[in-house]
Structures are given as C-alpha cells and as structure tokens.
Amino acid sequence: MPGSAGAGRVSAASRRDYAEAAATVLTAEGHAGSVYELGGDTAFSLAEPATALSAATGQEVVYGDLPAERFRGALLDAGLPAELAEVLADSDLGLKRGELFTDSSDLSRLIGRPTTTLTDALTGALGS
C-alpha cells in the first residue's frame, strides 16, 4: 500500500463515533455556537493500519512511503484520473505536515466513551 505521508499521524475515528457526536450535538441543549475539533483518541501513521490489516487478514500488507511525485505516478499508473491522483497525493502531504492530527478530546467527550480503536474499526469493517 503506497503513500507519501511519511510518519504523519491522523486522528481518524469511525463513522459510528462521528454519527454519535452529530446526534448528540443535534439533539441536546447547549451546543449552539460551539465549535468542536473531532478526532479519534489515538492518532496513527499509515503504517499502523497496514500492520493491523496484516494481523486481521493473515495476509501481509505493507505501507510503502514514496516521494509525492512517485506516489502520484503510481496512482496514475493504477488508472486514477489525474485530478484524483493530485488530490490523494496532496492529502498525504497534508497528513505528513500534521494537518489531520488533533489532540482534542471533544469527540470522546461528546459520545461519552473512548473512541473506537483502529483495530476494532478494522475488525468491524472486515466482519471478523
């Protein structure tokens, strides 16, 4: 699995976690005018989902970090339109710069529990 995010960390969370937070904000009092920074409790690099997928599936999945131009080229070689390849390569560079990281606990506070772990999210998605 190629990319160009380096060791950048993303504070991703599950759709379920985000949906629960949205439901809380939309149905409970006291949120008008508030701004929340939503992210999972534990940030991860792109190498970590590869390792977790390997463990969950029994098949080796490796994250290969590439220079952005090589990653863009790999996406084009795979048949992606140029515009999409550009967006994906730029997204990885943003991740590398820390643009998808937050240390806010807003999400877990809104849902009243820790956010879903990467391993649990992958296991659920794989139906394991």
Side-chain angles (χ1 to χ4, degrees):
M1 148 175 134
S4 57
R9 301 188 71 72
V10 59
S11 300
S14 71
R15 281 188 263 178
R16 178 178 163 232
D17 292 347
Y18 289 126
E20 285 182 33
T24 297
V25 169
L26 292 170
T27 61
E29 296 294 321
H31 298 285
S34 296
V35 176
Y36 299 105
E37 183 74 25
L38 302 182
D41 294 336
T42 305
F44 52 86
S45 70
L46 293 186
E48 292 169 68
T51 300
L53 277 170
S54 294
T57 64
Q59 297 178 319
E60 185 178 20
V61 179
V62 177
Y63 172 71
D65 195 58
L66 303 172
E69 281 303 316
R70 283 194 54 212
F71 179 45
R72 187 177 298 107
L75 294 170
L76 292 170
D77 290 346
L80 272 67
E83 296 82 9
L84 181 56
E86 181 64 33
V87 166
L88 293 175
D90 185 60
S91 294
D92 268 23
L93 291 176
L95 196 156
K96 188 176 197 171
R97 290 187 298 266
E99 295 172 3
L100 297 178
F101 172 80
T102 181
D103 58 3
S104 167
S105 60
D106 287 349
L107 182 56
S108 57
R109 192 168 30 80
L110 286 168
I111 63 177
R113 61 172 173 76
T115 58
T116 305
T117 66
L118 172 62
T119 300
D120 287 347
L122 288 174
T123 300
L126 294 170
S128 305

